[in-house]
């Protein structure tokens, strides 16, 4: 057993009423939502003002990418529409769902019977768990599983369904503890995930996800999966009683990953291999939601970081420190910098001992934070999120007060597009690479130059179409990858286009491809391209994937995917008539430059410089013009797509 029995949710369900068992907690005291899940009778539907929980049932679940649509008529359009018009329809949706629930699930006589049935299964589970002899036989557990399955199938949308799934997860945990067979633990995880997918807002789901996370971490050797589940507890169930444990588990996982990453051998520049590394520069950038601090080193170092609790008697608040091993402070580093941006008070730097440089960030209060490093050049990035706007509420779950929503009820849909900003006004164009970072260099061409030329061309065309255009660079300068996304977020642009050229060891490969962000690569080629653009070796991609998982979850993955489709289709259609162009389609991969972008963001690979046809084309102004026109057509198609969603 992983958990003491005291963690059990000690409730007997008698005739649909909750009765606390003596000596155990009642569900009402668990600090969760004041109602028993979505599938209950009308009496269990939350009062007004709790509409955010209802809304969740039509949302595409960000962790499992699973659309839960209970009202099928709204499902197909609802999910798509929802991404673009969350705000004005929330009140309407609430009303519709409320009536749909009452209509479809109110059936008191059946609920009585099913409650007793659940109680029976519940009692069997606990008596078997206590019986040291009987619990060693698989068949007894399978009987209990069958009891809970019967409860589940009797009403798969009812209030006992998520509880039955939860208990079957527990059944397989018990079996695993006896059998030591991985597949039992995997089955337990499967039950917990099914519960989370089907009943994302039910009050037991944080328990399901936390338990799944523990099994993935401790039994199934899947820290990335565990990370996802713990993160889901923190992000999706911030009011639940598992939040703190999950946050602790996350911090431990992050720290382990950072240590492993730091300990991994990496190439060092020959000239500096023997001396200590130097902390050359510290830069930071504040946005509404987070402050990003970047420590730039002259070569890679091992580092550790730690979160420190406040010491009020010494006047010290929450802090994060980063120790750089075998490192010295550079001569130009300020030792004490005030930031005071509402997120960070500031930072301090000192030589902790002869070998260790310590950077301390002073936080306003307890804040979500993330530490990771990037290569070429080696730098350590610390993101500290605003205490007022945790990352999840800042992007994924925008809510609107009811009185504000009412104001939009009488507004003409065409005006609504403008009022709510459901259109594309500002586009940031990112010409990949720059200065010493040339990108691909083949057949006499530098990628950085072609990217910049096309970027300016796309920008000029977009301005003609009435867009406001911003650039990450307009000349041959170096801009680090993490700066580019931060610039887009700070300027609150509506779209982010990153332009690149490709390369491959086989010169016969040619083609045009558009990427949107995802944790997994759509193919081995996609993964290789992402590694090249991220400036790491392909095998290092997985570290980045794992550490940055939540940046991906908070990105506009669906919208970016739509945008990538539109650009790919329009470029190929526009260029194909005049030139040979291979359509490699829309792909996805974990590109660092797209991570954390709060707007739809894509990366365009305009062709392979290693291929002489593609290189000859990209070397010609007419071809580049054609590509730029195609990209603009893609942006216009996407704009139209958004506006038609808002108005239909
Ligand atoms: Zn590139």
């Amino acid at each position: 057993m992983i958990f003491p029995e005291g963690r059990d949710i000690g409730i007997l369900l008698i005739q649909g009423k909750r009765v606390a068992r003596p000596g155990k907690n009642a569900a009402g005291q668990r600090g969760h939502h004041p109602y028993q899940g979505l599938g209950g009778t009308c009496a269990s539907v939350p009062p007004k003002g709790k509409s955010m929980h209802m809304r969740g049932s039509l949302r595409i679940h960000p962790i499992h990418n699973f659309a839960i649509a209970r009202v099928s008529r709204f499902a197909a359009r609802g999910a798509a529409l929802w991404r673009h018009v969350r705000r004005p329809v929330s009140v309407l949706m609430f009303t519709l769902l409320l009536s749909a629930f009452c209509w479809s699930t109110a059936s008191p006589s059946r609920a009585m019977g099913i409650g007793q049935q659940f109680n029976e299964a519940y009692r069997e589970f606990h008596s078997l768990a206590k019986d040291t002899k009987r619990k060693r036989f698989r068949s007894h557990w399978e009987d209990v599983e069958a009891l809970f399955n019967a409860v589940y199938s009797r009403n798969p949308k009812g209030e006992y369904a998520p509880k039955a799934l939860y208990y079957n997860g527990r059944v397989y945990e018990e079996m695993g503890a006896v059998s030591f067979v991985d597949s039992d633990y995997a089955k337990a995880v499967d039950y917990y995930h099914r519960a989370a997918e089907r009943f994302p807002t039910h009050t037991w789901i944080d328990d399901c996800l936390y338990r799944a996370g523990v099994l993935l971490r401790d039994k199934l050797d899947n820290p990335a999966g565990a990370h996802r589940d713990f993160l889901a507890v923190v992000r999706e169930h911030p009011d639940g009683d598992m939040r703190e444990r999950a946050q602790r588990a996350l911090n431990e996982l992050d720290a382990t990953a950072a240590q492993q990453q730091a300990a991994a051998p990496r190439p060092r520049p020959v000239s500096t291999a023997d001396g200590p590394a130097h902390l050359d520069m510290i830069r930071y950038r504040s946005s509404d939601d987070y402050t990003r601090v970047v420590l730039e080193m002259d070569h890679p170092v091992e580092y550790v970081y730690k979160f420190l609790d406040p010491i009020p008697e010494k006047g010290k608040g929450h802090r994060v420190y980063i120790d750089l091993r075998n490192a010295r402070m550079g001569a130009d580093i300020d030792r004490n910098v005030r930031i005071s941006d509402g997120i960070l008070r500031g930072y301090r730097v000192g030589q902790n001992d002869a070998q260790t440089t310590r950077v301390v960030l002073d936080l306003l209060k307890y804040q979500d934070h993330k530490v990771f490093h990037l290569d070429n050049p080696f730098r350590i990035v610390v993101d500290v999120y605003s205490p007022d706007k945790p990352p999840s509420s800042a992007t994924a779950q925008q809510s609107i007060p009811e009185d504000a929503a009412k104001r939009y009820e009488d507004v003409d849909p065409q005006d609504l597009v403008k009022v709510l900003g459901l259109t594309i006004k500002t586009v940031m164009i990112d010409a990949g690479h720059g200065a010493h970072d040339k990108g691909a260099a083949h057949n006499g061409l530098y990628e950085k130059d072609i990217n910049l030329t096309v970027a300016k061309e796309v920008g000029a065309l977009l301005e003609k179409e009435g867009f406001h255009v911003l650039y990450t660079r307009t000349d041959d300068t170096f801009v680090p990858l993490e700066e580019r996304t931060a610039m887009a977020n700070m300027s609150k642009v509506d779209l982010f286009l990153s332009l690149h050229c490709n390369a491959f060891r086989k010169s016969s490969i040619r083609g045009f491809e558009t990427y949107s962000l995802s944790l997994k690569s759509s193919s081995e080629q996609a993964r290789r391209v992402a590694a090249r653009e991220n400036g790491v070796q392909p095998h290092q991609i997985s570290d980045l994937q794992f550490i940055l998982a939540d940046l991906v979850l908070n990105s506009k993955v669906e919208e970016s995917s739509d945008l990538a489709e539109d650009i790919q289709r329009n470029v190929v259609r526009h260029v194909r008539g005049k030139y040979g162009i291979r359509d490699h389609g829309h792909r996805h991969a974990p590109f660092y430059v797209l991570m954390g972008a709060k707007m739809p963001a894509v990366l365009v690979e305009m062709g392979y410089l290693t291929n002489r046809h593609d290189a000859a084309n990209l070397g010609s102004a007419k071809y580049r013009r054609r590509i730029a026109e195609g990209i603009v057509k893609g942006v216009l198609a996407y704009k139209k797509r958004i506006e038609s969603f808002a108005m239909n």
Side-chain angles (χ1 to χ4, degrees):
M1 279 295 292
I2 297 161
F3 297 93
E5 257 326 276
R7 268 300 302 160
D8 268 346
I9 299 143
I11 323 151
L12 279 175
L13 291 134
I14 298 167
Q15 298 186 345
K17 287 182 183 164
R18 282 184 277 129
V19 179
R21 291 180 72 184
K24 296 203 174 185
N25 277 338
Q29 295 166 338
R30 295 185 65 239
H32 279 299
H33 320 302
Y35 64 100
Q36 285 273 345
L38 285 173
T41 60
C42 285
S44 69
V45 169
K48 271 200 167 182
K50 288 280 172 196
S51 61
M52 55 178 287
H53 301 305
M54 305 295 294
R55 205 182 61 189
S57 67
L58 252 177
R59 183 160 59 91
I60 292 186
H61 195 283
I63 305 297
H64 306 286
N65 209 16
F66 185 88
I68 305 206
R70 289 160 191 283
V71 190
S72 61
R73 197 152 57 90
F74 296 111
R77 238 189 65 200
L81 176 68
W82 198 244
R83 303 203 305 262
H84 302 288
V85 268
R86 280 175 238 260
R87 294 175 174 216
V89 292
S90 67
V91 173
L92 176 69
M93 280 295 181
F94 171 72
T95 320
L96 285 171
L97 283 170
L98 183 73
S99 49
F101 277 115
C102 291
W103 175 75
S104 67
T105 58
S107 179
S109 60
R110 273 175 66 93
M112 272 173 66
I114 201 171
Q116 282 163 349
Q117 201 179 342
F118 177 80
N119 275 342
E120 192 197 327
Y122 174 91
R123 271 193 299 269
E124 270 304 308
F125 175 89
H126 286 285
S127 76
L128 184 55
K130 285 193 197 103
D131 189 330
T132 44
K133 278 186 188 157
R134 281 177 66 231
K135 75 192 275 185
R136 289 158 63 191
F137 293 93
R138 200 172 179 84
S139 62
H140 294 314
W141 285 115
E142 283 168 352
D143 292 344
V144 177
E145 183 194 17
L147 291 177
F148 282 115
N149 273 340
V151 172
Y152 177 83
S153 11
R154 190 163 155 188
N155 186 357
K157 290 178 181 173
E159 65 174 302
Y160 294 104
K163 297 174 183 177
L165 292 172
Y166 166 83
Y167 267 103
N168 272 340
R170 296 285 307 274
V171 163
Y172 274 89
E173 274 193 52
E174 293 281 353
M175 281 207 242
V178 178
S179 70
F180 300 107
V181 172
D182 279 358
S183 61
D184 283 337
Y185 289 122
K187 195 91 189 271
V189 170
D190 189 50
Y191 268 118
Y192 292 139
H193 283 172
R194 275 170 66 192
E197 283 163 4
R198 288 173 202 192
F199 305 90
T201 58
H202 190 273
T203 58
W204 288 21
I205 296 309
D206 56 341
D207 296 79
C208 288
L209 289 169
Y210 182 77
R211 295 189 87 104
V214 169
L215 292 177
L216 288 165
R217 182 191 63 194
D218 297 342
K219 305 291 180 190
L220 295 167
D221 193 24
N222 181 354
H227 196 274
R228 260 197 309 278
D229 284 344
F230 292 139
L231 193 67
V233 174
V234 172
R235 292 283 157 82
E236 318 263 307
H237 306 273
D239 303 326
D241 55 1
M242 302 309 285
R243 188 196 186 282
E244 254 178 60
R245 284 169 191 237
Q247 183 64 58
R248 236 177 291 138
L250 275 179
N251 292 347
E252 284 165 19
L253 277 175
D254 280 347
T256 317
Q259 276 161 13
Q260 284 169 354
Q261 212 191 4
R266 60 171 50 85
R268 284 162 175 271
V270 180
S271 58
T272 51
D274 297 325
H278 289 91
L279 174 60
D280 284 340
M281 182 164 63
I282 300 183
R283 53 188 161 86
Y284 69 91
R285 202 176 259 281
S286 314
S287 71
D288 286 355
D289 305 328
Y290 66 97
T291 300
R292 168 167 287 177
V293 181
V294 181
L295 317 181
E296 290 201 356
M297 310 297 303
D298 65 350
H299 63 259
V301 288
E302 287 184 21
Y303 65 98
V304 290
Y305 66 92
K306 198 167 186 312
F307 184 81
L308 297 175
D309 287 323
I311 315 171
E313 57 273 23
K314 289 190 178 172
K316 291 185 172 169
H318 292 281
R319 289 146 294 154
V320 178
Y321 75 75
I322 300 107
D323 274 353
L324 310 167
R325 299 266 164 83
N326 194 20
R328 300 272 163 76
M329 272 175 72
D332 302 333
I333 297 286
D334 284 333
R335 288 175 171 266
N336 204 333
V337 173
R338 282 180 68 83
I339 297 180
S340 303
D341 59 357
I343 296 178
L344 282 184
R345 291 180 204 280
Y347 63 80
R348 293 169 282 135
V349 193
Q351 198 66 34
N352 209 35
D353 56 47
Q355 309 298 324
T356 313
T357 303
R358 174 170 288 189
V359 180
V360 184
L361 307 186
D362 289 307
L363 278 56
L364 282 184
K365 41 181 141 166
Y366 177 79
Q367 285 149 270
D368 204 0
H369 56 278
K370 187 143 284 297
V371 183
F372 54 94
H373 72 256
L374 296 167
D375 287 305
N376 302 321
F378 184 87
R379 58 232 194 254
I380 297 165
V381 183
V382 188
D383 285 346
V384 180
Y385 293 92
S386 160
D388 313 319
K389 289 185 188 170
S392 53
S393 65
T395 51
Q397 303 171 1
Q398 290 175 341
S399 62
I400 190 166
E402 272 187 52
D403 57 332
K406 275 197 188 110
R407 264 186 270 138
Y408 295 126
E409 279 172 4
D410 307 325
V411 178
D412 181 81
Q414 286 217 4
D415 297 334
L416 204 59
V417 172
K418 285 178 205 149
V419 171
L420 296 176
L422 298 170
T423 183
I424 311 295
K425 285 184 215 125
T426 310
V427 181
M428 182 168 274
I429 307 175
D430 171 47
H433 313 276
H436 63 271
D437 174 17
K438 298 185 185 70
H442 302 274
N443 285 312
L445 297 173
Y446 283 156
E447 180 191 348
K448 62 171 187 175
D449 298 333
I450 295 177
N451 297 344
L452 184 59
T453 322
V454 179
K456 286 181 174 168
E457 207 142 356
V458 171
L461 291 170
L462 283 174
E463 272 170 0
K464 266 192 203 159
E465 295 287 344
F467 293 94
H468 180 48
V469 177
L470 296 172
Y471 299 87
T472 53
R473 67 178 178 102
T474 50
D475 53 20
D476 190 21
T477 47
F478 177 74
V479 185
L481 291 178
E482 71 276 11
E483 275 290 289
R484 299 174 189 240
T485 331
M487 284 163 92
N489 287 341
M490 272 194 42
S491 327
K492 298 191 185 339
V493 303
D494 303 313
L495 284 189
F496 182 79
L497 306 177
S498 190
L499 303 182
H500 289 260
C501 299
N502 223 329
F504 193 47
R505 58 184 162 73
K506 269 195 221 162
S507 62
S508 58
I509 300 296
R510 56 184 293 206
F512 183 95
E513 50 214 63
T514 311
Y515 286 86
S516 60
L517 181 64
S518 85
L519 262 190
K520 281 194 187 139
S521 308
S522 54
S523 65
E524 193 44 44
Q525 294 102 298
R527 178 185 154 96
R528 181 182 44 72
V529 173
R532 198 174 62 75
E533 300 293 9
N534 289 343
V536 299
Q537 296 298 315
H539 70 268
Q540 288 175 304
I541 273 268
S542 55
D543 297 340
L544 208 60
Q545 269 172 279
F546 170 42
I547 293 181
L548 302 177
D550 59 336
L551 282 185
V552 176
L553 293 178
N554 282 321
S555 300
K556 298 234 178 288
V557 172
E558 298 283 329
E559 292 89 335
S560 302
S561 186
D562 289 347
L563 176 61
E565 290 282 346
D566 287 340
I567 288 182
Q568 180 71 22
R569 198 183 48 248
N570 278 282
V571 168
V572 169
R573 193 191 290 157
H574 188 65
V575 176
R576 183 168 268 163
K578 288 211 161 193
Y579 299 88
I581 185 171
R582 289 269 159 82
D583 182 4
H584 283 182
H586 160 216
R587 298 174 170 182
H588 32 262
F591 285 97
Y592 188 68
V593 72
L594 302 180
M595 285 184 190
K598 292 190 184 151
M599 66 294 305
V602 298
L603 185 142
V604 182
E605 290 284 357
M606 299 182 285
Y608 285 74
L609 296 187
T610 38
N611 176 271
R612 59 189 174 84
H613 297 285
D614 273 5
N617 280 340
L618 287 165
S620 107
K622 278 187 182 160
Y623 184 84
R624 290 196 301 262
R625 173 87 185 176
R626 204 88 192 154
I627 292 272
E629 286 166 356
I631 291 173
V632 170
K633 281 175 186 288
V635 170
L636 289 169
Y638 180 74
K639 181 174 188 256
K640 211 169 163 190
R641 186 198 279 254
I642 285 193
E643 291 175 354
S644 66
F645 269 129
M647 286 194 282
N648 285 332

